[in-house]
Amino acid sequence: MKRTLFTSLVLALAATGCAAAEKPAAEPAARDTGAVAWQACTDLMGPDGKTMTPEPALECGTLAVPLDYSRPDGDTIDLALIRIKATGDRLGSLVFNFGGPGGSGVDTLALARQAFAGPGSAYDLVSFDPRGVDRSAGVKCGGKVEELMSPAAGKNPDKAAREFAAACEADSGKVLPHVGTVNAAQDLDRIRDALGDDKLNYFGLSYGTHLGSVYATKFPEKVGRFVLDAAYDPNVTFEQRALTQMKGFAQAFEAFAKDCVAQGCDLGKSPAEARQTVEALMDDLKEKPLKVGDRQLTYGLAQFAVITPLYAKATWPMLEQSVAAALKGDGTTLLALADSYTGRRPDGTYSTMMTSLQAISCADTSQRPTAADMAALNEQVEKIFPIMSVESTSGACAHWPTEGSDEAKHIDATGSAPIVVIGGKGDPATPYEWAVSLTDRLKTGVLVTYEGEGHGAYLSGSTCVVRTVDAYLLKGTMPESGAACPAA
């Protein structure tokens, strides 16, 4: 599925540059609707899995929204929000979704705020846990996450998927029918109103581009300044999405291997040799997981570990170092990378990242791939990027307790203000072709091409991308048609 940028932010934030922003002309302070009671943030989760010390600059609150928008006077759920007030003359609020689906916007903005210091000079930076995520009625599945990530040897994967779906229904059956992106877009409009903004200014990354596109389709007249970075086109089938992403990760791995060899690589003297080294390690883990303390680095967990550093060029060295260590019998770093991907905390508990991702993904499509469909897909994955192939698997959506809808696939923002769409030529998770097609579907999209590597151009270290985006957000300066930025 679309991967959250949370891991990339945590691992690569130190390598991210921000351009100083010009101060815009001031506007009157936004009205306070009283819908959110802002107070100190007391439960923010740091990258080490521990609760962060409250900071005066960070404010948290909740907003009650309908559980079921077809019954607006029925049950409600509370959305968790975070706000960082503008440091200079204020233009309004800028709302973020960092991706997933399933990533916590509350935790991520707290960690990533320095990367958005430019927009933060003029906007209150705001993010939230979308419905079904962590603090916002997060989807829980009876402690089945560990088993889903690393099923017991010999266990029937279709049976495991069926048990996982049943556990989700038992724990979160009330919210499962209402966690899709269409409902989340309606939540966005409630957030806009609660913040006192006449229009929504929005920065969506990865899956956040899908959420923003759906919002712009449903509320085109409410679109303010919109940036959709690492764009995803939801009008692809499950199979097309998976294969396109596998091609993207295969290309990213080859780029990593070439870069590794150019700098003196512990994995081999040529890109082909480096790839063979990683493939050999993965094959060994199929037969014999690597013991790490009282846990095991399995083949499945190692797959998550290998692709995690491929999201950002700044984290490529971690892939070389962690694989080299595992070849010597130390799987600690690879397991830590896998944990960062799956949302596992140091105390052994999990965030709702993976369970929320599954629930939202199944809600957003009517497709229900069977075990046979998955097996056929895996045969193609084996040819494209064998590191990510599996011997047996199942589609969890095939057993999902609620029906999915294709409504979130309909994208047409006709009538909205112009929307800046950014696509990276070397993006492994949301390949460039999706940015091109999403721009066309929006009707009001303006495409900016980033020629470099990594998932998310604004966080790549490209001063060109940062200046282009900040000029739009702060001064309303639209990029020229065909705008492009070189690799950082």
Side-chain angles (χ1 to χ4, degrees), residues 224-265:
R225 295 178 184 177
F226 258 52
V227 177
L228 305 180
D229 185 9
Y232 167 70
D233 182 354
N235 283 272
V236 293
T237 65
F238 171 82
E239 180 182 23
Q240 290 169 336
R241 180 177 68 241
L243 294 179
T244 301
Q245 287 186 314
M246 286 304 101
K247 290 175 184 177
F249 279 113
Q251 292 170 1
F253 187 89
E254 288 304 309
F256 149 74
K258 290 179 182 178
D259 183 75
C260 187
V261 170
Q263 301 187 48
C265 189

Side-chain angles (χ1 to χ4, degrees), residues 176-178 359 362-366 368 397 400-406:
L176 289 183
H178 309 293
C362 292
D364 276 353
T365 180
S366 63
R368 294 293 185 260
C397 288
W400 207 243
T402 60
E403 293 183 358
S405 168
D406 292 326

Side-chain angles (χ1 to χ4, degrees), residues 303-448:
Q303 287 180 305
F304 290 125
V306 168
I307 66 169
T308 294
L310 295 179
Y311 278 88
K313 187 175 181 179
T315 57
W316 285 358
M318 296 186 70
L319 178 54
E320 176 192 8
Q321 295 160 12
S322 59
V323 170
L327 291 170
K328 298 177 182 178
D330 182 3
T332 304
T333 307
L334 279 179
L335 192 58
L337 287 169
D339 288 347
S340 74
Y341 192 106
T342 61
R344 189 182 191 275
R345 305 182 181 107
D347 63 1
T349 62
Y350 284 83
S351 72
T352 70
M353 183 181 296
M354 301 308 290
T355 49
S356 302
L357 184 151
Q358 189 67 60
I360 298 169
S361 299
C362 292
D364 276 353
T365 180
S366 63
Q367 286 188 285
R368 294 293 185 260
T370 64
D373 294 331
M374 297 296 291
L377 174 63
N378 188 61
E379 290 181 4
Q380 299 181 72
V381 172
E382 175 72 34
K383 298 174 184 178
I384 297 169
F385 194 36
I387 288 172
M388 290 302 294
S389 69
V390 293
E391 294 180 348
S392 58
T393 187
S394 178
C397 288
H399 307 297
W400 207 243
T402 60
E403 293 183 358
S405 168
D406 292 326
E407 184 180 355
K409 296 182 180 182
H410 173 64
I411 302 298
D412 183 341
T414 298
S416 81
I419 296 172
V420 173
V421 181
I422 309 174
K425 288 288 186 71
D427 192 322
T430 50
Y432 179 72
E433 63 194 74
W434 290 350
V436 176
S437 57
L438 180 63
T439 302
D440 290 340
R441 293 186 194 282
L442 285 167
K443 303 296 192 298
T444 56
V446 177
L447 179 64
V448 175

